[in-house]
Amino acid sequence: MATKNIIKTILLLETGLIFFLGSALVTTSLILKGEIVTVPDLKGKTPEEARTLLSRNLLSLSFAGTEFHSEIEKGLIISQDPPAGSKIKANRVVKVIVSAGSEMVDIPDLVGKSLEVAVQTLASVGLSRGIISQIHTPRYPAGRIIAQEPKPGGKVKRETAINLLISQGEQELKYVMPDLIGRKADRVLSKLKELGFNVGNVRSSYYPGLEPGIIIKQTPPHGYAVQKRNLISLEVSR
């Protein structure tokens, strides 16, 4: 009877040992093998949405760069590696490429805007300032854009330079400065102001042999081209 109990005890110990070793082997195998998960489809999703999906499947997110894409909005995922539906071990990394938006952008209408506003507008859509040309015209105030090339409404690649034609305002007429020396200052001053010229300094100096009020010096001198906004200075006898 005692012998039978001993044998039964030995058998139970052997069975337990076998079970223990078997469980250990299975556990070790699972640890070494790792849990297999399915990679979700991340295309068209934001990085935040992708990160949430991956975390549910015991995976993590890594950025592999950005690319232009004509259909997928800027900031959304274009592609992934491994691809959607792949079976991989848990705790692996899924690399994604994010859209930088379309490479083609709309050309804004810059006519009538100031150069400063135009440059800011171009930068905001990914374009740059090109060649600047200027002409006189009464149609637009000085500093306003008259025309642009390429014209607004079309599409161009990002970083394209837009050439601008800018108004210098209405062209001022130029006059030849007359010889005012020896003339009566009061008459000359009255006429210059009547015609809209900018008369500035009028100073007096003693000049022997001349009666008071006669022009003895002028700036600009006789023969120079002047515009009405240019300052005219006179020196008069006293």
Side-chain angles (χ1 to χ4, degrees):
M1 188 69 177
T3 303
K4 287 183 178 182
N5 288 336
I6 292 171
I7 293 172
K8 189 179 289 186
T9 301
I10 292 171
L11 289 173
L12 287 173
L13 289 171
E14 289 178 347
T15 302
L17 182 61
I18 291 169
F19 178 78
F20 172 77
L21 291 173
S23 298
L25 288 172
V26 170
T27 302
T28 302
S29 176
L30 287 174
I31 292 172
L32 291 174
K33 185 177 181 182
E35 184 179 354
I36 301 300
V37 296
T38 303
V39 180
D41 186 3
L42 307 177
K43 185 176 180 180
K45 293 180 171 54
T46 65
E48 292 74 19
E49 292 171 337
R51 190 173 282 107
T52 299
L53 278 175
L54 291 172
S55 65
R56 292 173 185 170
N57 289 36
L58 304 177
L59 299 171
S60 58
L61 182 72
S62 173
F63 291 98
T66 60
E67 291 180 4
F68 291 116
H69 200 285
S70 58
E71 297 177 359
I72 297 180
E73 185 182 337
K74 182 178 180 179
L76 301 182
I77 293 171
I78 300 172
S79 60
Q80 63 186 84
D81 180 32
S86 301
K87 303 290 185 181
I88 62 173
K89 292 180 181 180
N91 302 317
R92 294 297 175 89
V93 173
V94 177
K95 297 179 181 179
V96 297
I97 293 178
V98 176
S99 171
S102 175
E103 189 173 11
M104 304 298 289
V105 296
D106 295 321
I107 304 172
D109 186 358
L110 305 174
V111 174
K113 292 182 170 61
S114 68
L115 179 59
E116 181 182 3
V117 171
V119 170
Q120 291 174 352
T121 302
L122 290 172
S124 69
V125 296
L127 300 175
S128 62
R129 186 187 73 178
I131 298 171
I132 302 295
S133 303
Q134 298 182 348
I135 62 168
H136 287 284
T137 176
R139 293 179 55 201
Y140 292 90
R144 299 289 172 172
I145 293 170
I146 304 169
Q148 64 184 84
E149 183 59 40
K151 294 180 179 179
K155 287 183 177 290
V156 291
K157 286 186 176 182
R158 289 179 184 272
E159 302 304 324
T160 296
I162 307 298
N163 300 323
L164 303 172
L165 179 63
I166 299 178
S167 170
Q168 289 182 302
E170 187 173 2
Q171 188 169 15
E172 295 184 66
L173 295 176
K174 291 185 177 181
Y175 304 85
V176 176
M177 189 69 182
D179 186 2
L180 305 177
I181 306 299
R183 299 188 182 185
K184 288 281 189 180
D186 54 351
R187 294 179 183 177
V188 170
L189 289 170
S190 176
K191 192 62 177 179
L192 287 174
K193 290 178 180 178
E194 179 187 334
L195 294 173
F197 285 92
N198 181 19
V199 180
N201 297 328
V202 178
R203 64 191 186 91
S204 59
S205 299
Y206 175 73
Y207 196 91
L210 279 183
E211 61 179 295
I214 303 298
I215 297 172
I216 56 178
K217 188 176 181 180
Q218 67 181 76
T219 304
H222 169 230
Y224 270 63
V226 294
Q227 295 173 317
K228 288 188 175 182
R229 60 183 172 83
N230 297 141
L231 183 66
I232 296 174
S233 299
L234 300 174
E235 187 173 342
V236 180
S237 64
R238 58 179 169 83

